[in-house]
Amino acid sequence: MKKPHNIHQFFSGSCEFRIGAMNYDQIPESRLPEVAFIGKSNVGKSSLINALVSKKIAITSKTPGRTRQLNFFCVGEKLNLVDMPGFGYAKVSKTEIDSWEKLIYRYFANRVNLKKAFLLLDARRGLSEKDIEMINIFNAVGVSYQLVLTKIDELKSDELEKVVKEIAEKSRKFAAQHPVILMTSSERDIGIDDLKKAIVEVM
Ligand code: GDP
């Protein structure tokens, strides 16, 4: 796959919603490189995806009924972007959580065109048990992934340094992890270009 010359142009070009897959059979076949975004509810995922493509696309994922779907978007007909809404969401039943987790697991275990998963972490909260569960899945099925801190504008630089150090220490033992933790703020437009570069790198 040819990498785009101008990443800014690429990400601000077309971005179309393709499908919200509620079960495994609805996941569309594709040969395009794919990246997935996952994180706990309220981590700032919609804001980050919107900042990435300079459009309010991720609002789609918040439409009632779509919060338990894998939402597929196509960027510039060259890249698939998958928005995986809110894991660790407390307000749903155990059965719903189970079927959602099974769907996510099957997706990660079988998606051959998936290049990288971005696991989003709220900078104020660090790495939770639920995030570690997700990391264990990535490692079990061999998905390469990268941690992305969100809302870094909420922390002072020394606080941020401490959080990054803690996360790096806790997650060092995981083999499939990209060594660089991306630091972002959608609100202040920090780290969005680094995220763009990290995506283009794997295309
Ligand atoms: P999602 O549930 O993961 O999709 O999260 P949203 O993108 O909807 O954001 C959840 C909340 O966090 C909202 O109130 C946002 O305004 C806020 N938020 C998102 N990104 C940032 C950020 O970069 N900085 C700050 N301070 N707040 C943010």
Side-chain angles (χ1 to χ4, degrees):
M1 179 62 58
K2 215 168 164 232
K3 291 181 189 179
H5 282 316
N6 185 324
I7 56 169
H8 300 293
Q9 246 171 25
F10 175 66
F11 283 101
S12 59
S14 75
C15 181
E16 308 285 335
F17 175 66
R18 284 288 145 86
I19 191 170
M22 290 168 72
N23 55 55
Y24 190 73
D25 298 334
Q26 289 175 344
I27 293 177
E29 271 189 33
S30 176
R31 289 184 172 187
L32 293 182
E34 192 158 289
V35 290
F37 290 83
I38 190 158
K40 289 165 85 174
S41 311
N42 225 36
V43 70
K45 184 166 52 58
S46 306
S47 308
L48 190 69
I49 293 177
N50 290 339
L52 183 68
V53 295
S54 315
K55 286 178 202 71
K56 292 213 162 153
I57 57 155
I59 200 136
T60 322
S61 319
K62 299 213 154 173
T63 313
R66 288 211 174 130
T67 49
R68 283 283 162 283
Q69 298 182 163
L70 303 188
N71 294 300
F72 287 80
F73 297 88
C74 190
V75 185
E77 302 296 327
K78 282 195 168 71
L79 169 78
N80 296 333
L81 193 155
V82 190
D83 181 9
M84 306 178 126
F87 75 77
Y89 190 58
K91 285 187 200 134
V92 294
S93 68
K94 172 90 173 64
T95 327
E96 263 187 278
I97 294 174
D98 284 351
S99 68
W100 173 240
E101 288 184 350
K102 269 184 206 140
L103 174 61
I104 289 178
Y105 184 87
R106 274 188 85 182
Y107 166 82
F108 283 124
N110 295 292
R111 193 68 169 169
V112 285
N113 58 325
L114 177 69
K115 300 293 179 190
K116 196 191 258 186
F118 291 97
L119 177 61
L120 274 45
L121 308 172
D122 188 322
R124 296 166 304 181
R125 319 231 181 282
L127 201 61
S128 71
E129 277 306 307
K130 205 73 201 164
D131 298 314
I132 302 231
E133 273 176 37
M134 203 61 239
I135 290 178
N136 282 328
I137 292 178
F138 294 145
N139 281 285
V141 299
V143 163
S144 65
Y145 68 97
Q146 187 161 10
L147 301 179
V148 181
L149 284 189
T150 60
K151 311 187 192 180
I152 64 158
D153 56 283
E154 294 277 355
L155 297 186
K156 298 196 189 88
S157 63
D158 56 330
E159 292 170 329
L160 186 61
E161 216 173 282
K162 195 167 156 236
V163 171
V164 171
K165 217 170 148 198
E166 271 170 20
I167 295 174
E169 266 162 26
K170 277 194 201 166
S171 63
R172 186 166 296 141
K173 60 179 186 278
F174 299 112
Q177 183 178 313
H178 192 287
V180 176
I181 300 174
L182 292 172
M183 290 190 257
T184 68
S185 162
S186 314
E187 212 144 276
R188 302 268 175 87
D189 190 20
I190 303 170
I192 308 299
D193 283 355
D194 295 333
L195 179 60
K196 288 178 181 169
K197 283 181 200 145
I199 294 173
V200 168
E201 229 173 65
V202 295
M203 279 173 71

